[in-house]
Amino acid sequence: MPVYIFVSAVIHDTKKFAAYGSANAALVTRMGGKYLVLGAEGDALEGQPIIGKKVISEWPNKDAALAYWHSAEYAEIRKLREGICDAQVMLLDGFGHPTSQLNDSRQVI
């Protein structure tokens, strides 16, 4: 079952952040993830807006996402963004076949 890493980040120094972004993009690809949303702004349709740039990456499963997040390679790359952005990161479970799941109202919020 796929999982998603959702990031919202307020970036304070875009020039320095670019080094983090490049290094991390290469690692995400190498470790089996793929970007679905990269650096987007968004409009709140309900509730309080989530500020900052948004990134969503898809992973084949939770183990793959956590292997990336806890890897020694990412620990080094993460140092590149220290002090230059404020980030909120969430791991979200997906489900295998969205169209069949949508027919079950218990699965939909």
Side-chain angles (χ1 to χ4, degrees), residues 43-95:
D43 296 319
L45 298 178
E46 186 173 332
Q48 296 297 315
I50 299 171
I51 62 171
K53 302 285 187 179
K54 314 308 180 288
V55 175
I56 300 172
S57 57
E58 180 181 57
W59 297 85
N61 54 55
K62 196 171 201 173
D63 289 340
L66 291 174
Y68 151 78
W69 186 256
H70 295 296
S71 70
E73 296 95 339
Y74 183 66
E76 285 300 310
I77 292 169
R78 187 174 179 176
K79 292 176 185 176
L80 297 172
R81 71 172 171 88
E82 288 179 0
I84 61 170
C85 78
D86 298 313
Q88 180 180 28
V89 182
M90 297 178 65
L91 183 62
L92 306 171
D93 291 327
F95 48 89

Side-chain angles (χ1 to χ4, degrees), residues 4-77:
Y4 304 89
I5 295 178
F6 172 81
V7 180
S8 180
V10 176
I11 302 166
H12 305 295
D13 187 330
T14 55
K15 288 182 182 180
K16 288 183 180 178
F17 191 85
Y20 165 81
S22 295
N24 192 49
L27 181 63
V28 165
T29 300
R30 193 170 76 244
M31 294 194 73
K34 68 178 180 179
Y35 288 112
L36 302 179
V37 174
L38 187 57
E41 295 288 340
D43 296 319
L45 298 178
E46 186 173 332
Q48 296 297 315
I50 299 171
I51 62 171
K53 302 285 187 179
K54 314 308 180 288
V55 175
I56 300 172
S57 57
E58 180 181 57
W59 297 85
N61 54 55
K62 196 171 201 173
D63 289 340
L66 291 174
Y68 151 78
W69 186 256
H70 295 296
S71 70
E73 296 95 339
Y74 183 66
E76 285 300 310
I77 292 169

